[in-house]
Each structure stands twice: as C-alpha cells, then as structure tokens.
Amino acid sequence: MSHTQVKVCGVRRVGDALHAVSLGASRIGCVLASDSPRQATTNEVRAIRTAIGDDDARLVLVFRQESTDRVLNAANATGVSSVQVHRASDSQIVELREHGLHVTPVVSLGSAHAQRAEQTQRERLARAPEDRRSGSPILVDHGDGGSGQRFDPRLLDELSARDLFVAGGLTANNVAALIQAHQPLGVDVSSGLESRPGVKDPMAMSAFFEAVRLAESASEVRR
C-alpha cells in the first residue's frame, strides 16, 4: 500500500511537534515569515529541532518572499537545512541549493499571483518528478500559503499529483477525498489542525492522521 506523507506546518510548540511525529508526520514546518500569525522564533525552532531529533522527521523552515541572505542566516542560526520559500525565483532556488540547503519549490494555484506567473509555474511543475527524486518535492498551495483556503481540486486533474505535496485548507473532513481522487505524494496541513494560530489541537491532529490512514486503506481495497 502506498503511504501518503504528512507535513504538519505552522508548528511553534515542542509538544505539538512531538505529537505530530508520534502520529507519523514525515515533516514538521516552522514558519519564519514575518507577516504570519504562526511566525516561530529562532529559540522555538531550536527547541523543536532538539526534541524531534534528526531521524524522526525533517524540520522545514518556511519563508515568504525572503532574500537569500535572510534564508541562509535563519538556516545557520537554527541548524536546519531544509527550507520552503514561497515566491522564490528559480535562480534563488538554485542559489540556496548551491549553499547546501534542501529547497522545496512552491507552485501557487488559485491566485492572481499564480496567473501572472503561469509560464514559470508550468515549467516548475514539469520538473516535479526530478524534484521528487531529489528529496525536495514540489508543494502546490493556495496563494502564498497559510490562508486556510482551498484551490479548486480540479486543477490537480492535469497534474501528476503522485510527485507533489498538496496544501491549502486541508482538514480531517476533506483530506480523504483528496487522497482518494489524486493520490498525492504528500499532504501539508496547518490551520486545519489549530485551536488558534500556532497552537495545534491534539484531537484535530489525531483525526487528520486517522482520515489519511482510512483513505489509504479504502484506496487499497478498491485495487
């Protein structure tokens, strides 16, 4: 049976990170975008990194339209080598990788910005299998992420979702339908697990992972 990876994003508390790992999270995201209500501090990221260890889940620093220097400085300060940068140009992605970082490219769907960058988006998505093999699969999200809004899932019909992480307004109530319809490589969830920004609800987290597990089981039965 295929295994859908789960990234829990917007984490600020050690307890939330440990609970996510215990449920099977493959990645933990800490948002460092200054305009996010989930912005984590350097000390919070360090504490989470120490708590989960290097072998339990890959810790990812999440930025939005940040300079290369800012991303590199944050990676050095926290000891985290995996980053996700919204609105990053291809040249910036290359530069960050040349500095030894694992970079998750982001494709924005369902927004005016996505429409303006349509050609770049198509070119980036064409490289999805290569990025998956490199260990830094492309993430598709609504707008700049963190809004809790969903894009039209029909936009995935023309893509090979098996090579992608999918985000955007996911909850325990809708993730199963996404997995059954598109079988993505992984799903990325943040606001759908929260009692308030940056604070995860343990019951919502458990329900989400259970929904993922049941969706995978149902897909296997149909095969």
Side-chain angles (χ1 to χ4, degrees), residues 10-118:
V11 177
R12 297 188 62 180
R13 306 191 305 174
V14 167
D16 292 342
L18 291 175
H19 187 45
V21 171
S22 73
L23 292 169
S26 60
R27 300 179 181 209
I28 302 294
C30 292
V31 178
L32 296 186
S34 59
D35 60 347
S36 171
R38 301 170 185 86
Q39 182 183 17
T41 66
T42 298
N43 287 339
E44 287 171 341
V45 176
R46 287 173 176 164
I48 291 170
R49 180 176 178 270
T50 299
I52 67 174
D54 293 333
D55 298 329
D56 291 323
R58 176 180 289 181
L59 191 59
V60 183
L61 303 181
V62 180
F63 302 88
R64 181 160 42 234
Q65 204 171 13
E66 290 284 1
S67 68
T68 297
D69 285 344
R70 156 78 167 131
V71 175
L72 291 175
N73 289 339
N76 289 333
T78 59
V80 177
S81 60
S82 294
V83 300
Q84 172 184 314
V85 184
H86 292 251
R87 294 204 195 183
S89 64
D90 283 348
S91 61
Q92 184 181 29
I93 291 172
V94 169
E95 185 176 4
L96 291 171
R97 285 175 171 168
E98 287 176 345
H99 280 86
L101 297 184
H102 302 283
V103 183
T104 296
V106 180
V107 167
S108 176
L109 299 178
S111 70
H113 173 71
Q115 294 170 7
R116 289 195 299 271
E118 184 178 354

